[in-house]
Every structure is written in structure tokens, then in C-alpha cells.
Amino acid sequence: MLTGKHLIAGDWVAGATTFASTPAHGPAQDFAVGTPALVDQACRAAAAAFPAFAATSRDTRADFLDAIADEIEARAEAITEIGSRETGLPAARLQGERGRTTGQLRLFAAHIRAGDYLDRRHDAALPDRQPLPRPDLRMIQRPIGPVAVFGASNFPLAFSVAGGDTASALAAGCPVVVKGHSAHPGTGEIVAQAIVAAIQSCNLPAGIFSLVQGGKRDVGEALVQHPAIRAVGFTGSLGGGRALFDLCAARPDPIPFFGELGSVNPMFLLPAALAARTEALAKGWAASLTMGAGQFCTNPGIAVVIDGPDAEAFAAAARTALEPAVAQTMLTDGMASAYRAGRDRMAAGAGVRALLTTHCDGRSATPNLFEVDAADWLADHRLAEEVFGPLGLILRVRDAAEMQAIAESLQGQLTCTLHLDDADTALGQTLLPILERKAGRILANGFPTGVEVADSMVHGGPYPASTNFGATSVGTLSIRRWLRPVCYQNLPEALLPADLR
């Protein structure tokens, strides 16, 4: 049952005003509107709960994460029903995303039980060392404090209320204050119910988790500027993320802002691979472009090919593969409108040629395909900007040297992909040192839609893909965002953190 309220440190709190949800189908519901005063209340509660939560054992926090996963699964049918209604995503997609969400929670539970993330180091005292003795030095990673998390629009579960940012922060021992996304407030509330149930069953402080729904820009600004907040996790647009990043940097005490801001995820189709697998590559690209109406930050929006007969055949095959695609419902009316604006911007670019132009209205999206020559693409930076939706751009280059120039010109990306055969190895060796400076993940002979939750995964990259090139928002390494190293010199055993004794 939905309350339409905020969750503030264990209490369901109504607001003075409400907003109506905008579901893809079914009736709208009213939810309380967040305010800076509610943010302050949640952040103060998080700060009060932090010392006790940071002192809990790894086993206690791991049991808590497992309990959240159990509580989410206990609400599986309700989550799927309201999630589908609010977002328009099919039930199968939401069921898979729910599994990813609970899988992340259980992965972090196992990760902190193992303890390797603590990076414990010990340099024993050398009292007889000359010319000076060495003190006893011990180092460990410690939680930084309350974390602000912004729910993402395109992943109502895996990047939202109990998503990767929340899971990794709680695993580290950091309380979390979530700014829920207004595109799926009901889904967010049910997940929050699961978290508060786990808090109660594990007998943990209520202040370690709060959810503030809706609200205008002042709510997000109040959250990132609150003195109790020590770091921010964000997944969303470049404009919104950059504004919050600047606020974090302008604080009297600047804090890290870990923003994942999107990417065009270019693919480089090398000559031998393109000649050998033209149709298969085109079909695979079309499937990746249209998956989930193209609403993935890893959507491969650009295919770089060397001009010639194989490029012509690839363009024709891609168009053939995209033409039968049916309209899909986008997550919000605003996203659908932005997709159409991006399509029109692309179509108006100098030298851009339309291969497939479709028309859609309302909240629906259909694929579009364009092509452009390298010189025109390099001359217009707008052609390198992300279009969030099922739109593809074929970028034709004259030769391998111009393909290398395209790679050099790229801004930061979440992913870059090389499609290559054995005969392409030399060109691949030339491109790889460039691409590894541009992206957090480099693929060979695959498509980047689909981010494995695993120890080795990196979901981040140089700006503007993300605001911190040394971090990832997926995988167990993401816990390092909410930790800082502390060195203890000559401390008595009784004063050391339990994990250092």
C-alpha cells in the first residue's frame, strides 16, 4: 500500500503540497513534495546515526544488505506492477532489473564479509632503525559519512532508491539520503518500505536511510549543500549533473560529486571485421540501439566505418534492421520530447544525411538513422552530443588515419568498442592506446548495452562521461567512493578499529 509520503529516519511524513505522478498507463497518484526543511531533517538524522552505523561490524552490515534484498523480493509483484505502470517498461525488464538490484545488494554483502576492500596495511615499528626509528603504522579504509543519492530516471530499481549507489554506501557504513525521481515515485516508495523493514529487523538506527520525494531544484541543491553530506552519487543528464557538481565544489567544505552523465559510446568497425560480418554487425547494432527504446547510458550511438562498398552495405543493412522496429514507450514525456529535439538537431547538421527518418509523438519513440563524413562531424561538436533514445549515426572516414583522428577527438566516454578480426590487429593496436584514455570500458566484438555487476566492472570514464575518472558506479570497486584511508600511528590496540586489531 502506498502512503504518498516521504520516509524520514523511519517515519512516514506527509508534505504541505503534493504532486501527481505521470504514469505511462493507469491512474495517477499523489505524492508529497519534498522541501529543503525535509532535507535538513533527513540529513541531521543521518549525521546522528553515522557514528553508530560506522562502528557496526561487517557481518552486521552484510546481514542488513541481505535483508534488504529479501524484503525487495517479498514485494516483487507489487514492484513489477507499479513500476510497469509508472515507466511503461515491460514486466520482464523490471523483473530482470529487480534481480540485478537484489544481486548487487548480495554481492556487496559478500564483498564486505571478505574484507579485502579495507586495503589493510601494517608497517611494524622499527625502534632500532638508524638514523631514526620507525613508528608502528596501520592503515585502513573508513566510511566518510552521510551520502546523498539521486535516483535515476532510466533505472527505477538498479540505479535508484536501493540501487548501486545506495547499496555500496550502506555497505561502507555510510547513511544514505535519497532524492527520489519523480518519474517513478510509487516504485521508489515500495523499495523504501523494503529498506525500512530491513532496518527494523536488523535493529539498526532509523536515521541510516531516508527518502525525500519530488520537489523542485531547491531540494536537490539543499541536499548537496547540506553540511552533513560528505559525498554525492548521481546518474542523469550532463546539465543537471554539472550544476550539482559545481555546487559541491563551491561549498565552504567541498565534497566529491560522483556523477555518471552519459556517453555516445562509439564503435569502431575495422575493415576485415566489417567485410566478414557486415549484416551481423548491422543487426546487432540495431538491436542494441533500440533496446529499451535506447534509454541506456551505454547505448552505442555512433558507428565509425571506413568509406567504401562495405560501409555502403553496412548502412543499408542497418536501415533494413531498424525499419520494422515498432514504437516504444519512453520513461517520461520529457524524455520523448528531448529525443525528438535531438533527432531534429542531428538532421539539421551540416553534411548529415538521413538514412531512416521516423515520426513519433506523445511518449513514444521510433528509431532514426543518419550518416555523416568525418570532416563534417569534426567541425560540429553538436553531432558528438548524446541523443537519449534509439538514434544511430554512421560516421564515415576516409582511411585508418582518419579513424585514428576521430578516436583522438573524442571526449570522455563510458565505453568504446572495437569490432575486429585477426587481420585488423595492427589497426586495433594503434587505436587501443587512444581509446583507453577516452573510456572506462573497452569492448571487443560486442555491444555495450548490458553492464555486468562484477568485481572487474568499470562504469565511468573521463569527463563528461563522469565527473570523477577514478571511480565507477557499478561493481564492487564503487564502494571506494564512500571510503577514505586513515593511518593510525602507535595507537594502542584497544583504540584501533575492530578490523585492524
Side-chain angles (χ1 to χ4, degrees):
M1 298 293 293
L2 294 177
T3 69
K5 298 178 179 180
H6 312 281
L7 175 64
I8 308 295
D11 296 324
W12 293 99
V13 179
T17 58
T18 62
F19 71 96
S21 64
T22 56
H25 54 83
Q29 293 178 268
D30 290 333
F31 293 86
V33 174
T35 64
L38 284 168
V39 167
D40 179 64
Q41 186 178 344
C43 292
R44 287 178 182 273
F50 173 57
F53 191 49
T56 55
S57 70
R58 290 181 281 117
D59 282 338
T60 295
R61 295 197 305 279
D63 290 344
F64 172 47
L65 295 174
D66 283 336
I68 297 174
D70 290 341
E71 295 288 351
I72 289 174
E73 292 295 356
R75 294 160 173 79
E77 291 185 8
I79 289 172
T80 300
E81 190 279 327
I82 194 167
S84 179
R85 188 191 333 148
E86 288 185 324
T87 66
L89 294 172
R93 154 69 193 273
L94 286 165
Q95 290 162 358
E97 190 180 333
R98 188 185 69 247
R100 171 175 169 168
T101 304
T102 56
Q104 287 178 149
L105 289 158
R106 299 191 195 282
L107 176 66
F108 277 109
H111 186 62
I112 62 175
R113 283 190 180 105
D116 294 343
Y117 78 100
L118 295 169
D119 193 17
R120 287 171 283 202
R121 305 182 185 199
H122 182 205
D123 292 296
L126 299 174
D128 298 326
R129 191 185 67 174
Q130 296 297 327
L132 293 172
R134 184 176 75 186
D136 184 84
L137 300 171
R138 298 171 188 258
M139 190 275 283
I140 195 172
Q141 300 288 336
R142 296 294 293 153
I144 59 174
V147 168
V149 170
F150 285 75
S153 60
N154 60 332
F155 280 88
L157 298 172
F159 278 87
S160 195
V161 174
D165 288 346
T166 297
S168 55
L170 293 174
C174 297
V176 173
V177 178
V178 174
K179 166 71 168 64
H181 201 287
S182 58
H184 39 76
T187 309
E189 182 182 326
I190 294 179
V191 174
Q193 291 174 7
I195 296 175
V196 75
I199 289 172
Q200 292 166 353
S201 68
C202 295
N203 196 29
L204 291 170
I208 64 174
F209 178 82
S210 292
L211 168 65
V212 179
Q213 296 274 31
K216 297 181 180 179
R217 181 177 298 179
D218 60 342
V219 174
E221 293 175 350
L223 183 54
V224 303
Q225 292 180 304
H226 197 283
I229 295 298
R230 307 316 306 159
V232 180
F234 175 90
T235 299
S237 69
L238 175 59
R242 182 54 196 254
L244 293 173
F245 172 84
D246 290 343
L247 288 175
C248 289
R251 286 173 43 140
D253 57 337
I255 60 173
F257 178 87
F258 297 100
E260 191 266 282
L261 308 180
S263 176
V264 295
N265 306 293
M267 304 188 311
F268 292 80
L269 281 62
L270 306 196
L274 183 61
R277 306 193 302 275
T278 306
E279 187 171 350
L281 287 172
K283 288 181 177 179
W285 186 39
S288 188
L289 279 176
T290 56
M291 180 187 297
Q295 297 171 117
F296 293 94
C297 49
T298 53
N299 196 31
I302 294 178
V304 185
V305 298
I306 294 177
D307 207 359
D310 292 330
E312 291 287 349
F314 173 77
R319 173 175 177 166
T320 299
L322 288 170
E323 280 179 332
V326 299
Q328 298 182 70
T329 301
M330 298 198 79
L331 290 159
T332 67
D333 292 325
M335 285 187 180
S337 178
Y339 171 63
R340 290 191 288 272
R343 174 201 62 195
D344 295 343
R345 182 188 76 237
M346 188 70 67
V352 174
R353 303 176 293 278
L355 300 180
L356 175 65
T357 302
T358 61
H359 299 280
C360 49
D361 53 22
R363 199 160 156 174
S364 66
T366 48
N368 290 271
L369 181 64
F370 301 91
E371 68 175 6
V372 69
D373 295 331
D376 292 316
W377 189 84
L378 290 168
D380 187 352
H381 68 87
R382 294 173 301 175
L383 300 179
E385 294 176 0
E386 181 184 26
V387 177
F388 199 64
L391 183 145
L393 176 67
I394 298 173
L395 178 51
R396 294 188 183 232
V397 299
R398 293 189 303 269
D399 49 29
E402 195 164 51
M403 182 175 278
Q404 183 176 343
I406 293 296
E408 290 279 9
S409 74
L410 292 172
Q411 290 188 298
Q413 305 291 329
L414 294 172
T415 73
C416 288
T417 300
L418 290 169
H419 288 281
L420 72 169
D421 283 354
D422 289 345
D424 297 312
T425 298
L427 179 52
Q429 289 172 333
T430 299
L431 290 169
L432 184 59
I434 304 170
L435 299 183
E436 68 182 9
R437 301 197 311 268
K438 304 291 185 176
R441 177 164 58 114
I442 301 169
L443 298 81
N445 298 326
F447 297 93
T449 38
V451 182
E452 187 70 27
V453 180
D455 291 326
S456 304
M457 178 52 63
V458 173
H459 190 61
Y463 186 85
S466 59
T467 56
N468 190 310
F469 62 82
T472 174
S473 62
V474 178
T476 53
L477 186 63
S478 64
I479 196 174
R480 293 295 297 269
R481 297 174 296 171
W482 324 122
L483 299 165
R484 66 181 183 89
V486 178
C487 177
Y488 301 88
Q489 181 169 327
N490 289 337
L491 258 68
E493 185 87 3
L495 296 184
L496 289 171
D499 284 319
L500 270 181
R501 295 174 195 165

